[in-house]
Amino acid sequence: MPPEDLGTTRQLALELDHTPAQGEADFLVGEGNALAHGRIMAFPHWSEPVTLLVGPAKSGKSHLARIFADRSGARLAGVDDLAALATQGGRLPLIVEDVDRLGYDEAGLFHLLNQSLREQRPILLTAREDIANWPLLTDDVRSRARRATAFSLELTDDIQLSQMFVKLFGDRQIKVDPRIIAYLVARMERSAQEVVLLADLIDRLALAKGSAITRTIAADALDRRRIDRGDARDEQDGDGLADE
């Protein structure tokens, strides 16, 4: 398929055959996530049983949840499981992912948090929004969730963005010129989700051309992402990096 037929990122739905590395050693620790990472690594020595990780998409919440599961033997709770888990009781650690987005039973979540606080059952919650913005019908769950030890995850500098690109391309067994990564970081929308989208799109564009990843491909990907977001095209400055 020629590159011009790829369309925008929304049209690139085919999953590539690669597995992201999500072990302890693969987590990129930086200023914006060090406290959250430290909390997970401190298990089982938690002073309070409930931990809440808050951060945007692709910020590392699920990676930390995977690490927590490996360290604790935690079970991932399903959307309809909370009431039953609260009734069963016990101290088996649990993970409740995207608690603000997946439509968990509010009464079940209330009872599960109560059971956790009463019996010191470790629970890891993840969410994109702060507790104040969760779509709850009552304040009962909100009041219980506020007793969780909460940590925010965010990308704080160019180094973390660059490290994310290196890791994502490494997951695909691709080596990329560091100057191309610097070129991307200087021009992209600054978010973890954007790094993931750009790395995926760049890989696809390079595969479609049958070439290594070049600055031209990186610039094309940046333009396509601007079109997806509805942004105006920025002028690209030369930086002395020629395509091979």
Side-chain angles (χ1 to χ4, degrees), residues 29-43:
V29 182
E31 181 182 345
N33 59 27
L35 291 177
H37 175 262
R39 172 68 171 186
I40 298 303
M41 300 304 288
F43 182 85

Side-chain angles (χ1 to χ4, degrees), residues 138-177:
T138 72
D139 284 333
D140 292 339
V141 174
R142 210 182 309 275
S143 67
R144 298 302 185 276
R146 285 189 173 125
R147 296 180 63 180
T149 305
F151 298 88
S152 296
L153 290 90
E154 58 185 13
L155 290 179
T156 57
D157 54 33
D158 289 356
I159 293 175
Q160 282 184 267
L161 291 167
S162 299
Q163 287 176 331
M164 277 197 70
F165 274 118
V166 171
K167 179 185 183 302
L168 290 169
F169 287 128
D171 288 342
R172 294 165 164 81
Q173 298 183 334
I174 299 171
K175 291 185 178 180
V176 179
D177 189 322

Side-chain angles (χ1 to χ4, degrees), residues 14-75:
L14 180 64
E15 288 294 329
L16 295 180
D17 185 17
H18 66 273
T19 302
Q22 290 197 324
E24 287 187 15
D26 302 305
F27 189 82
L28 302 175
V29 182
E31 181 182 345
N33 59 27
L35 291 177
H37 175 262
R39 172 68 171 186
I40 298 303
M41 300 304 288
F43 182 85
H45 305 293
W46 288 3
S47 57
E48 297 293 336
V50 183
T51 295
L52 170 63
L53 304 181
V54 180
K58 308 301 182 182
S59 60
K61 302 186 301 296
S62 292
H63 193 160
L64 284 178
R66 177 69 62 84
I67 294 171
F68 175 67
D70 290 342
R71 293 177 69 86
S72 69
R75 169 183 171 183

Side-chain angles (χ1 to χ4, degrees), residues 79 82-83 86 96 99-100 104-115 123 125 134 136 141-142 144-145:
V79 171
L82 303 191
V96 184
V99 68
D100 57 334
Y104 290 94
D105 171 52
E106 195 165 322
L109 181 57
F110 174 78
H111 291 303
L112 183 62
L113 291 175
N114 273 344
Q115 188 259 326
I123 294 181
L125 308 173
W134 291 6
L136 300 172
V141 174
R142 210 182 309 275
R144 298 302 185 276

